[in-house]
Amino acid sequence: MKNNMRWCLVFMGLFIIQVLFSSSKLMHDNVYPFLAGVPMTVSAVTTSIYLMVWYLPIVALGFYFTGFVKDSLSQYGVLLLVRQYSKWRWLLKRFLYLIIVTGIFVSLQVAVHICFFQKGMQFSEAILVAVFFYFVTLIVLFSVQVTLEIVTDVQIAFLVVNIMAICSVLAMPSLMVMHAPKLVAYFLFTNLGMDYRRGEISTMIEPMLVLLAIEIVCISIAMYKIKKIDILR
């Protein structure tokens, strides 16, 4: 990754922004607002605030994962792969690193709210489940970005993933009003990581299976495509 220090500063700034937004009365005393996501509202302004609270830190982490595979290939990855190091093994390690970084990111978000809000110390089974769904949803989201980078281009992948995430959040209320099929909701998988929306889509088992299926598909496509990449080109 390039300019990692710059993105670390972005993370810090966005966490501060999130804390400021989270102190707003619009958050309805939610213990962890980033888990609540973007609830259904009738006000465009309120929806925009919820969207910023939920999405600004995520888009920052998306910047961090930009070029996660291709930039690495152009650096130390080429040396490893030229020395008969398995491309699949190398790629799986990149996905494992993605999971670790995402886990640290989610832990920091929880820590920020514990530090700034006394009620952030509250834990329950429902909160732990919401944190886990949020964590898995982010892993899938960034896995889609990494896979698209291998298939297309780094900038295009970042743009597509961000448009998809925002549009899925904004489109979900209209689709629910129109009683769209449940399958449509699964394609808009970013909603599955939101505490407000998860129960409105299905039971907990179904969205988890959907997320795992998407993750397996992403890893499979990435492994297939990286096998065909000419690393010496």
Side-chain angles (χ1 to χ4, degrees), residues 3-221:
N3 302 319
N4 281 345
M5 184 59 67
R6 181 159 61 103
W7 296 128
C8 287
L9 296 176
V10 172
F11 291 147
M12 293 173 61
L14 290 177
F15 277 126
I16 294 173
I17 292 173
Q18 187 179 37
V19 169
L20 293 176
F21 274 119
S22 299
S23 63
S24 170
K25 294 181 180 179
L26 293 171
M27 300 316 297
H28 300 301
D29 297 325
N30 192 279
V31 178
Y32 299 103
F34 60 92
L35 297 180
V38 187
M40 315 297 183
T41 65
V42 295
S43 169
V45 175
T46 305
T47 300
S48 299
I49 293 176
Y50 276 113
L51 187 60
M52 283 190 289
V53 171
W54 177 76
Y55 196 63
L56 281 177
I58 294 176
V59 74
L61 190 59
F63 277 121
Y64 179 85
F65 287 126
T66 300
F68 191 64
V69 171
K70 287 194 174 180
D71 286 355
S72 297
L73 278 177
S74 65
Q75 299 167 11
Y76 67 89
V78 172
L79 295 177
L80 287 174
L81 297 179
V82 167
R83 294 173 181 174
Q84 305 303 315
Y85 196 87
S86 170
K87 288 184 180 180
W88 289 358
R89 182 181 174 186
W90 179 83
L91 184 63
L92 288 175
K93 282 192 173 184
R94 300 305 294 167
F95 274 103
L96 178 60
Y97 183 70
L98 181 150
I99 294 173
I100 294 173
V101 171
T102 305
I104 294 173
F105 172 80
V106 174
S107 300
L108 286 175
Q109 281 191 296
V110 173
V112 164
H113 287 276
I114 290 177
C115 293
F116 282 86
F117 305 103
Q118 292 182 353
K119 60 187 178 182
M121 290 297 293
Q122 300 176 14
F123 283 99
S124 65
E125 183 179 352
I127 290 177
L128 293 177
V129 170
V131 170
F132 181 70
F133 264 95
Y134 179 68
F135 170 60
V136 175
T137 302
L138 292 188
I139 290 174
V140 175
L141 181 66
F142 298 127
S143 295
V144 170
Q145 178 177 329
V146 169
T147 302
L148 287 176
E149 286 183 1
I150 299 175
V151 175
T152 58
D153 181 74
V154 171
Q155 288 74 23
I156 293 177
F158 178 77
L159 183 63
V160 168
V161 166
N162 282 273
I163 291 176
M164 177 194 68
I166 294 175
C167 289
S168 66
V169 172
L170 297 178
M172 192 63 192
S174 299
L175 292 173
M176 293 185 69
V177 170
M178 294 186 295
H179 302 287
K182 189 183 295 185
L183 182 62
V184 177
Y186 289 151
F187 281 111
L188 307 178
F189 67 88
T190 49
N191 293 281
L192 300 179
M194 299 183 188
D195 190 40
Y196 274 114
R197 299 182 177 211
R198 195 175 62 250
E200 299 174 0
I201 295 174
S202 64
T203 63
M204 292 187 295
I205 297 177
E206 290 181 3
M208 182 54 61
L209 291 176
V210 171
L211 291 173
L212 290 176
I214 296 174
E215 181 68 13
I216 292 173
V217 169
C218 286
I219 294 176
S220 300
I221 294 175

